[in-house]
Amino acid sequence: IVFDFWGTLFENGVYSPLRQTHELLRVRERFGEFVEKFEKALMTKETTLEEGLKAGCIALDRDPKPFVIQQLTTVWQQNQDFAKPYPETMAVIQELHKKYTLGIISNTQTGAVEQLLKKFAMNSYFKAVVLSCSTGYLKTDKELFETALKKLKAKNSEAVMVGDSIETDIKGAEKAKIKAILLDRRNTREYPNKITTLTQLPEMLEKIE
């Protein structure tokens, strides 16, 4: 089982840092286009948070003025500092770990996921943690999923992706020919394999195996 990290296993420490960035920079592009450009700049290289945010501004044709970078850095650092697992995450992971090989795949900036897994003592549950910042690929690139499968020593027909975004988690998995399960906590979207809480995951896995 391959899990998305942000919004699936862990909740943000602040209100959506991406939406806050979109508002602070007064970006005119629609949100989906903004996210793709910004994440590619911030999350596909090993770099400091500040340098990544500067690259994000430049990718969006925004002047990375010091006060702007300071504002953005505060938002993104607080998101990491105050992030925590969803209430049901640990119990579900512990249960699934007994039966399945688990991995994580994430669009993320340098250091964030690794530090949080260590902070909450969750490293031992995941055989592979594959991140955009260390591979150069986003979840919209099938190569990120292929890298995860290699580390998990699994075929795409044996894997299942669990994530909260249709645009990245689900479509990315479909590109890599991996079955997907949508985690839709607000129950506002439609997808054949959908759950509204991680506690429903074991039962859904049995249905699609």
Side-chain angles (χ1 to χ4, degrees), residues 42-199:
L42 173 64
M43 301 180 181
T44 58
K45 293 179 182 178
E46 294 279 5
T47 185
T48 64
L49 178 57
E50 185 175 316
E51 288 302 315
L53 291 169
K54 287 180 181 178
C57 288
I58 292 169
L60 295 163
D61 295 322
R62 292 292 184 274
D63 185 0
K65 295 178 180 178
F67 76 91
V68 173
I69 297 303
Q70 184 176 9
Q71 283 183 303
L72 292 175
T73 299
T74 297
V75 168
W76 285 85
Q77 189 59 57
Q78 286 182 343
N79 182 62
Q80 180 177 330
D81 291 344
F82 298 112
K84 59 184 179 181
Y86 285 96
E88 76 275 18
T89 294
M90 184 63 78
V92 173
I93 290 301
Q94 289 174 336
E95 179 184 350
L96 293 175
H97 183 254
K98 299 173 184 177
K99 183 177 179 181
Y100 300 95
T101 301
L102 309 181
I104 288 174
I105 189 171
S106 179
N107 289 355
T108 193
Q109 72 272 24
T110 303
V113 169
E114 301 99 310
Q115 290 175 23
L116 285 165
L117 288 174
K118 182 178 180 180
K119 178 179 179 180
F120 290 94
M122 294 178 66
N123 281 308
S124 61
Y125 296 106
F126 301 98
K127 183 176 180 180
V129 178
V130 179
L131 310 175
S132 60
C133 58
S134 55
T135 63
Y137 297 111
L138 294 172
K139 287 182 290 182
T140 46
D141 302 313
K142 67 178 182 178
E143 289 86 354
L144 191 63
F145 289 86
E146 290 170 349
T147 300
L149 291 177
K150 286 180 183 178
K151 290 193 173 186
L152 293 168
K153 297 181 179 179
K155 299 176 182 177
N156 52 8
S157 60
E158 299 170 329
V160 177
M161 173 67 187
V162 181
D164 68 312
S165 169
I166 290 178
E167 295 75 18
T168 57
D169 303 322
I170 304 305
K171 290 185 178 179
E174 289 174 349
K175 282 183 184 178
K177 297 181 180 179
I178 295 173
K179 288 178 286 189
I181 296 173
L182 175 66
L183 173 58
D184 181 12
R185 287 192 170 85
R186 295 182 180 179
N187 198 22
T188 59
R189 291 162 291 173
E190 295 300 324
Y191 190 73
N193 301 326
K194 188 179 89 167
I195 55 177
T196 56
T197 172
L198 283 173
T199 56

